[in-house]
Amino acid sequence: MAIENNLAQLRLKRGFTAIKLAREIGVSRQTIYAMETGTYVPNTLLALKLAKVLEVTVEDLFRLEAAEAPKHTESVELLPGDQDPQPGLPVQLCDVDERLVAVLPTPTAWSLPPADAVLIEAGKRSGRGRVQLFQEEKQYRMRLMIAGCDPGISVLLRHLQREGVEAVVAYRNSSQSLNLLKDSLVHIAGTHLTDEATGESNLPAVRKYFPKGSVAVISYAIWEEGIVIARGNPKNIKSIADMGRKDVTIINREPGAGSRMLLDSHLQKAGVTPKSVKGYQQIATGHLPAAWQVKNGSADCCMATKTAACVFGLDFVPLTSERYDLVIRTKNLSHPGVQILLDTLGRTAFRRELEGLGGYDTRTAGNRLV
């Protein structure tokens, strides 16, 4: 049975930094972060020390989650397609003449993208342009604009739509997303940037971008990130060090991406220079585009989330668990769409669907960290 963890929220509420709390109870700063992410469960003595310092009960900090309801299964007809059926692949269901049919995911989008207008003028340097609208109604004025790289954001969009909230997603890496929020071009920025010195997720980066009190940081999920490899691991890739082999080709992420930073950090620790890695300069802009290059055989491996591996039926070597957070300007917290989004993060239906994709832990979803 899993344990619910409120340590991060209570630490921040009491005004403790991770370093200060670690000093008070006699552990390392890394141990505090490990407890907050759920990768380390403290013993009784540590739990009592934490409760005393934070002036709460142990039950306020840690408690057993309620037992989950039994998972419901159904027999389905698999719709033939290009994708090989593999356990773990997400599917859509539809009743057709009293037969439950399951559709496997399409690796690439073959339909036209949704659009409200067509671009007719574009300033190459000004960042301004002009569009021709398809309709006079201006529904877009009520939408949310979200920037981020999370492959599972589509789950959130579906749940928001059921509540009457439309959202537009700009798929950008973590650094780009924070810059867009800084320039007030989006309502919400998703980020997974781990501070190399402290091991803390996102908060150090957010402090560099925004003045104190100007933004709220909301936990979205804890996800697994690591090496995505071909099914069956034909190249026997077991660690970052294998990327230095001459027979291994990678597909990298663009500068500023959290996955690229993670790769660079692990390459340095393994004593592997980037110039010795075949494919280091080849770029895919996103977790799913990178995993697709592994799926179609253009690369042997890439750095991405476990979810990206699951979508394409690929294998995965875990390297780290990290928090993916949503950063929102404080002034936009009262936006009706943002309010519904925050409520959605705490709902069981949303959490169950996101975790079902593989690689997500939603226990902290919706918790305000700053």
Side-chain angles (χ1 to χ4, degrees), residues 88-219:
L89 285 175
V91 297
Q92 283 189 294
L93 303 176
C94 183
D95 271 313
V96 182
D97 295 335
E98 300 182 355
R99 300 165 72 189
L100 186 58
V101 179
V103 183
L104 295 168
T106 302
T108 54
W110 299 117
S111 58
L112 294 174
D116 302 297
V118 61
L119 188 64
I120 56 175
E121 293 179 17
K124 294 182 178 180
R125 297 182 180 179
S126 66
R128 305 282 299 177
R130 194 163 190 81
V131 300
Q132 180 177 317
L133 299 174
F134 296 146
Q135 300 182 41
E136 291 299 323
E137 294 83 0
K138 298 180 179 179
Q139 305 96 325
Y140 54 83
R141 296 200 183 279
M142 300 301 295
R143 293 174 180 164
L144 289 179
M145 178 69 85
I146 304 173
C149 65
D150 172 38
I153 197 70
S154 57
V155 177
L156 179 61
L157 298 189
R158 284 196 294 274
H159 284 261
L160 289 176
Q161 194 169 35
R162 292 168 193 164
E163 298 297 324
V165 177
E166 280 193 87
V168 178
V169 177
Y171 287 97
R172 301 291 189 273
N173 67 44
S174 297
S175 300
Q176 292 168 337
S177 297
L178 291 174
N179 275 315
L180 289 173
L181 184 67
K182 186 177 180 179
D183 293 338
S184 297
L185 291 173
V186 298
H187 295 106
I188 301 169
T191 178
H192 64 111
L193 296 175
T194 301
D195 184 66
E196 187 70 23
T198 65
E200 188 174 9
S201 294
N202 301 316
L203 298 184
V206 170
R207 295 187 192 107
K208 292 177 182 177
Y209 276 87
F210 302 99
K212 185 177 181 180
S214 64
V215 296
V217 180
I218 311 295
S219 177

Side-chain angles (χ1 to χ4, degrees), residues 14 26 55 58 337 368:
R14 294 289 188 270
E55 300 179 343
V58 172
R368 182 167 177 176

Side-chain angles (χ1 to χ4, degrees), residues 264-326:
D264 289 344
S265 173
H266 278 265
L267 285 175
Q268 185 178 29
K269 292 175 183 176
V272 179
T273 60
K275 67 179 181 181
S276 68
V277 178
K278 189 177 179 182
Y280 183 86
Q281 300 298 335
Q282 302 302 311
I283 302 300
T285 53
H287 294 275
L288 292 181
W292 171 240
Q293 295 297 315
V294 178
K295 174 70 175 179
N296 68 22
S298 299
D300 297 310
C301 62
C302 71
M303 295 288 285
T305 61
K306 183 179 180 180
T307 306
C310 291
V311 167
F312 295 116
L314 299 168
D315 285 349
F316 182 75
V317 179
L319 292 178
T320 187
S321 293
E322 60 185 4
R323 208 177 57 241
Y324 188 83
D325 293 333
L326 303 180

